[in-house]
Amino acid sequence: AYWLSLAHSRLAQLAMGDTAVGVARDESAAARHARRCLDVLEQAARPTVSTPDALGLQAACAALLGRASLLAAPLANARSANQLRSAALADARNPRVRLIAATVNFERDLLDPEARERVLLDLGQVVTLFEAERRDSVALPTWGAAEAYWYLGRVLAANSDTIAARAALEQSLLLAPDFEAAKELVARLVGRGTGR
C-alpha cells in the first residue's frame, strides 16, 4: 500500500509539473493521483499505515490535492497540516517526514526570499538526516535522499549560488543517476555559466 501510494504521489507531482521542466500541467490528473494515493493508504489495514513515513506521505498527497483542486483545497490543506504534525510527533528525526514538511509549499516559498532562507536551512538539516540514515541503517523505505538534494539545489540556484547548487545536484545524481529533473537543472546551470 505504501509503495503504491508513493507511485501515485509521484504521478501527481509529475502532473503538477513539479519534477520536470516543460511538462504540461494537468491539475485534473494530479488531483486524481493524489486522491488515489490517499485512498490506498486509508484502505490498507496493516499497521504500517500509521508509521511516520505513511503519515508523511498522506500529508504530501493531501497537499498535492489541495494544490490541484480548488474545491478540495480547504479540507486537503488542513488534513496535510494535521498529518505532518502527527508524523513529526511520531518521529521528529525522520528525514522523509522532514523533507515533506520542508517542501509542502515549495513552489510558493521559492519566490519569497524570507521563506526561501527558512527552506534552505530546513533542507540542510534534511540532507544531514538522510546521510545519517544511510550510514546507520539499511531499513526500508529509503526514498527521498536524491529529492532532498534536488530541492536543495533548486533553492541554492534561486539564491544564485551556482557552485553549491551544482554540488547538491551532483549528489542527487550520484544517488539517482536517472533523475531527469536533476539532469535538466544541471544543464541549465551549466548553460547559464557559459552564457548559453
Side-chain angles (χ1 to χ4, degrees), residues 130 142-151 168 171-173 175-176 179 182:
F130 272 115
T142 58
W143 68 270
E147 292 91 337
Y149 280 106
W150 175 71
Y151 279 115
Q171 184 63 36
S172 177
L173 289 168
L175 294 168
F179 194 169

Side-chain angles (χ1 to χ4, degrees), residues 18 30 58 63 97 114 140 184:
D18 289 354
Q58 286 176 326
V97 171
E114 189 175 310
L140 292 175
E184 290 169 2

Side-chain angles (χ1 to χ4, degrees), residues 61 142 155:
C61 289
T142 58
V155 175

Side-chain angles (χ1 to χ4, degrees), residues 12-184:
Q13 285 179 310
L14 188 61
M16 288 298 289
D18 289 354
T19 57
V21 177
V23 173
R25 187 174 167 125
D26 184 348
E27 291 178 349
S28 128
R32 188 172 60 253
H33 286 296
R35 280 191 187 95
R36 186 71 182 126
C37 169
L38 293 167
D39 290 345
V40 168
L41 285 171
E42 286 168 2
Q43 291 168 10
R46 288 177 286 197
T48 54
V49 174
S50 62
T51 65
D53 286 292
L55 290 168
L57 185 54
Q58 286 176 326
C61 289
L64 280 162
L65 180 58
R67 287 176 51 217
S69 169
L70 288 176
L71 192 59
L75 288 175
N77 292 337
R79 178 180 184 179
S80 177
N82 287 336
Q83 296 290 58
L84 275 177
R85 274 193 295 278
S86 297
L89 285 172
D91 184 358
R93 295 190 53 79
N94 182 303
R96 281 161 295 285
V97 171
R98 295 283 304 274
L99 174 62
I100 291 164
T103 59
V104 74
N105 293 311
F106 186 78
E107 299 303 326
R108 185 185 68 202
D109 292 345
L110 198 59
L111 301 175
D112 176 354
E114 189 175 310
R116 195 163 60 230
E117 289 307 310
R118 176 188 50 76
V119 172
L120 182 60
L121 180 64
D122 289 348
L123 287 171
Q125 295 170 354
V126 168
V127 297
T128 300
L129 289 172
F130 272 115
E131 290 303 321
E133 182 183 70
R134 285 191 327 132
R135 275 193 314 269
D136 301 339
S137 165
V138 290
L140 292 175
T142 58
W143 68 270
E147 292 91 337
Y149 280 106
W150 175 71
Y151 279 115
L152 181 60
R154 289 189 62 196
V155 175
L156 291 164
N159 281 348
S160 299
D161 191 347
T162 305
I163 293 171
R166 281 188 64 186
L169 292 165
E170 286 166 5
Q171 184 63 36
S172 177
L173 289 168
L174 282 173
L175 294 168
D178 294 327
F179 194 169
E180 289 300 323
K183 289 179 185 178
E184 290 169 2

